[in-house]
Amino acid sequence: MEKFVITKKQCGKFQVQLRSKAGQILLSSEEHLTKISCKRLIEKLRTFAKDSGKFQKKTTVDWELYFYLKSASGKAIAISKKYSTNLSREQAITRVKKIAPFAPVEDQS
């Protein structure tokens, strides 16, 4: 099942991931101090994923492709994994747009 997952890192901080049905990580957030801030972030991700203008496509120095979802202020709030082709990156963006607004939340912290 496609879902948002809240995890707790060994350092004690929390992180949000959006995962596909197969468990593939589509987006990962930065670390947060509280679980509440993760829940707020999920609501932002639900809203921003509906807006194509919030997706920023990037390329690493090694020519790996990725994207991030940006906030109203333009700050990256969740980043994708790396992709080898434009097509795979575009398919991932399409998946995020489709599933993020309705994905349930699983707390694994």
Side-chain angles (χ1 to χ4, degrees), residues 16-109:
V16 173
Q17 297 174 334
L18 178 61
R19 296 185 187 172
S20 70
K21 285 182 183 177
Q24 176 187 29
I25 298 171
L26 300 172
L27 288 175
S28 295
S29 75
E30 60 186 16
E31 295 175 344
H32 294 267
L33 295 175
T34 65
K35 196 182 301 186
I36 294 292
S37 62
C38 286
K39 291 180 179 181
R40 288 184 190 131
L41 174 66
I42 290 170
E43 292 311 310
K44 288 179 184 178
L45 291 171
R46 291 184 193 284
T47 301
F48 295 149
K50 298 175 190 176
D51 182 355
S52 294
K54 297 293 184 190
F55 288 85
Q56 184 71 45
K57 300 172 191 173
K58 293 293 203 178
T59 305
T60 68
V61 293
D62 295 328
W63 295 100
E64 293 176 304
L65 307 170
Y66 70 101
F67 65 92
Y68 64 84
L69 200 57
K70 59 185 179 177
S71 68
S73 66
K75 180 185 174 198
I77 57 173
I79 190 167
S80 75
K81 67 176 203 144
K82 306 298 187 281
Y83 297 94
S84 58
T85 67
N86 278 319
L87 178 61
S88 58
R89 178 175 63 186
E90 290 300 323
Q91 289 172 333
I93 290 171
T94 299
R95 264 185 282 160
V96 169
K97 287 179 182 179
K98 181 180 177 183
I99 66 175
F102 308 106
V105 178
E106 182 178 307
D107 187 346
Q108 294 182 353
S109 63

